[in-house]
Amino acid sequence: FEAISYRWGSGERTCDIKIGKRALAIPQSAFEVIRRRTSQFRTRRLWIDAICVDQSSDADKTQQVGMMRDIYGKAARTIVWLGDRQPDAWLAWAFFGDLVREYWKYKTDSSSVPVAGLKKVNDDNPKWEALRTLLENEYWSRVWIVQE
């Protein structure tokens, strides 16, 4: 199964999904990631708390939180979903990859200059702006994410 970690958002907007014969209201952001991860051509098993945890039961939520390490640890992969409306996310992730490569180049050859060839943060560079926007996403401030 794939575990989904996502931003809940305000929780005010919900969408109904059908599970068997029952309708379940889930947050708009959970609906977005499920919609994006489903396929007509293959079966996909997803674990997402909005569905797999009884949100109306404090006892179930408490029990499930105690199992989070196992849930995410046993997942084939974890998908971090920052939302549909993340402008220039592709540019931010590509730039993040550039920064990691520069870091490893510097770490293995200490005579090289860190982030050589990359514009400075204060330069007019859309890559830095995209990365800043990505890092300001509310997802990164969630207690669970900060704790991990």
Side-chain angles (χ1 to χ4, degrees):
F1 69 96
E2 295 172 319
I4 307 292
S5 181
Y6 65 105
R7 59 157 186 75
W8 265 76
S10 67
E12 294 169 5
R13 292 192 59 202
T14 61
C15 295
D16 288 336
I17 62 168
K18 194 172 184 180
I19 300 175
K21 294 182 180 185
R22 289 183 44 208
L24 178 66
I26 62 172
Q28 174 74 31
S29 56
F31 180 79
E32 289 171 6
V33 68
I34 291 168
R35 180 176 47 86
R36 289 292 196 117
R37 300 305 304 168
T38 56
S39 169
Q40 302 177 50
F41 305 106
R42 70 181 246 219
T43 300
R44 181 173 260 137
R45 293 177 57 209
L46 303 175
W47 184 95
I48 188 166
D49 61 356
I51 296 171
C52 299
V53 178
D54 181 353
Q55 299 300 319
S56 66
S57 168
D58 288 340
D60 192 47
K61 287 193 277 190
T62 299
Q63 179 188 18
Q64 293 288 327
V65 166
M67 297 168 39
M68 289 295 179
R69 182 175 305 278
D70 288 336
I71 290 168
Y72 285 99
K74 291 178 180 174
R77 68 182 179 158
T78 298
I79 297 162
V80 173
W81 181 256
L82 300 178
D84 261 345
R85 295 170 194 86
Q86 187 66 43
D88 294 333
W90 63 271
L91 182 59
W93 286 116
F95 186 49
F96 184 73
D98 293 344
L99 293 172
V100 169
R101 280 187 292 284
E102 288 292 326
Y103 168 78
W104 284 109
K105 187 176 5 174
Y106 173 72
K107 188 162 175 76
T108 57
D109 177 10
S110 59
S111 67
S112 70
V113 178
V115 293
L118 299 174
K119 288 185 176 181
K120 294 180 183 175
V121 176
N122 59 356
D123 284 350
D124 184 24
N125 185 337
K127 292 178 181 181
W128 284 109
E129 180 63 24
L131 185 60
R132 184 190 61 75
T133 300
L134 180 78
L135 295 175
E136 288 178 347
N137 188 296
E138 67 186 47
Y139 172 85
W140 306 113
S141 63
R142 292 178 60 206
V143 173
W144 179 258
I145 301 306
V146 172
Q147 174 184 323
E148 289 299 308

